[in-house]
Amino acid sequence: VGLLTALVFLFSVLHAQDYKVSLIPDSLLTDANAVLRVDETHIVIKSIDRAVITHKQVYTILNEAGDHFAEYANYYDKFHSLSDISGRMFDKDGKLLKSIKKKDIADVSESDAETLVTDGRSKHFAFYNKVYPYTVEFEDEMEWQGIFQLPRWMPVVHQKLSVQKSSFLVETPVDYQLRYKQFNYVSKPVIENKNKSISYRWELTNQPAWLYEVDQPPIHEITPAV
């Protein structure tokens, strides 16, 4: 029992260190409703028509205007399976407040009045907390059957959202040619050639909150993307 108690305490301490709001640089709090603390997308291309995608996002919600970042939603269908969904909420000191249970996840059809037949569905849930700041963590895994187009990386998706760290990692077989295009990203990806695979990595860190200005170009034309 003593060992179990110690392990639980260690787990809590590690998360407290990870998600303490005090660890966010002051520059990322300015003009921000939320901070994207962690954004990790890892794509493993298994073959010419199959890929496994794991995704993790951690948001710190600073005020009521940032509450929509505490909502999770993802689409799936017969070509895109969705599994291993998890969600957790922490207080300002990184203490775990709540974990999402399977019964909390809604599973709804994506059919609408204009679509006669579709097998598309989505899973979603939301955390509710009015004590600010607080932090939410989402994780999931998808398997794609057919990869004509891979997911895009666009870490800055909203105004008044700062980004502490976002990474995009694609692993391919050694004989697979990855075609990609960068936007507003001055560096080349970090490429690592392993024995049986090649990895491509893009990263953005400590990006202050972006504010909309009248008549400026769309956000995807002025922020980093791949």
Side-chain angles (χ1 to χ4, degrees):
V1 175
L3 177 60
L4 179 61
T5 301
L7 290 174
V8 171
F9 175 75
L10 177 61
F11 180 81
S12 301
V13 169
L14 289 174
H15 273 285
Q17 293 174 342
D18 286 344
Y19 298 152
K20 280 184 178 179
V21 174
S22 60
L23 297 177
I24 302 174
D26 291 341
S27 60
L28 300 185
L29 301 175
T30 304
D31 296 323
N33 293 327
V35 181
L36 181 54
R37 307 285 297 277
V38 177
D39 177 33
E40 298 174 350
T41 300
H42 185 189
I43 303 173
V44 180
I45 296 177
K46 299 290 188 178
S47 63
I48 195 170
D49 61 352
R50 178 172 170 261
V52 175
I53 302 166
T54 56
H55 198 198
K56 177 179 180 179
Q57 287 188 314
V58 179
Y59 291 95
T60 291
I61 315 300
L62 302 176
N63 53 51
E64 187 175 3
D67 277 341
H68 60 98
F69 292 108
E71 302 174 4
Y72 168 92
N74 205 352
Y75 172 91
Y76 71 99
D77 56 30
K78 64 181 180 181
F79 299 109
H80 307 85
S81 63
L82 178 60
S83 61
D84 295 339
I85 301 171
S86 67
R88 293 187 291 178
M89 179 170 66
F90 305 82
D91 69 8
K92 65 181 179 65
D93 297 315
K95 179 183 178 181
L96 180 64
L97 298 176
K98 182 179 180 181
S99 295
I100 285 294
K101 297 179 175 59
K102 189 174 181 179
K103 65 180 179 61
D104 300 321
I105 303 175
D107 190 335
V108 299
S109 172
E110 289 292 304
S111 297
D112 55 40
E114 298 178 357
T115 305
L116 296 178
V117 179
T118 179
D119 64 350
R121 300 185 66 84
S122 66
K123 293 187 178 185
H124 58 88
F125 60 85
F127 288 109
Y128 298 96
N129 190 14
K130 293 302 179 183
V131 179
Y132 303 97
Y134 65 96
T135 298
V136 295
E137 175 195 79
F138 306 126
E139 294 185 83
D140 64 21
E141 180 176 299
M142 298 195 75
E143 182 170 335
W144 286 25
Q145 301 294 338
I147 50 174
F148 175 74
Q149 181 174 335
L150 291 171
R152 65 180 177 178
W153 179 57
M154 190 174 171
V156 184
V157 293
H158 291 276
Q159 67 162 331
K160 298 188 177 181
L161 172 69
S162 57
V163 179
Q164 190 164 10
K165 185 175 182 179
S166 176
S167 62
F168 189 65
L169 176 64
V170 182
E171 271 187 74
T172 75
V174 291
D175 58 349
Y176 186 97
Q177 182 183 1
L178 181 68
R179 294 186 294 272
Y180 62 87
K181 187 171 183 179
Q182 299 181 173
F183 299 87
N184 304 302
Y185 191 89
V186 295
S187 302
K188 294 181 179 180
V190 176
I191 301 176
E192 184 178 355
N193 196 331
K194 305 175 183 178
N195 289 333
K196 296 183 179 180
S197 66
I198 300 175
S199 67
Y200 304 76
R201 183 181 180 89
W202 293 263
E203 190 171 279
L204 179 69
T205 58
N206 295 325
Q207 176 71 37
W210 166 81
L211 297 178
Y212 174 78
E213 297 179 4
V214 177
D215 294 330
Q216 74 173 21
I219 186 172
H220 65 271
E221 293 184 6
I222 58 176
T223 59
V226 174

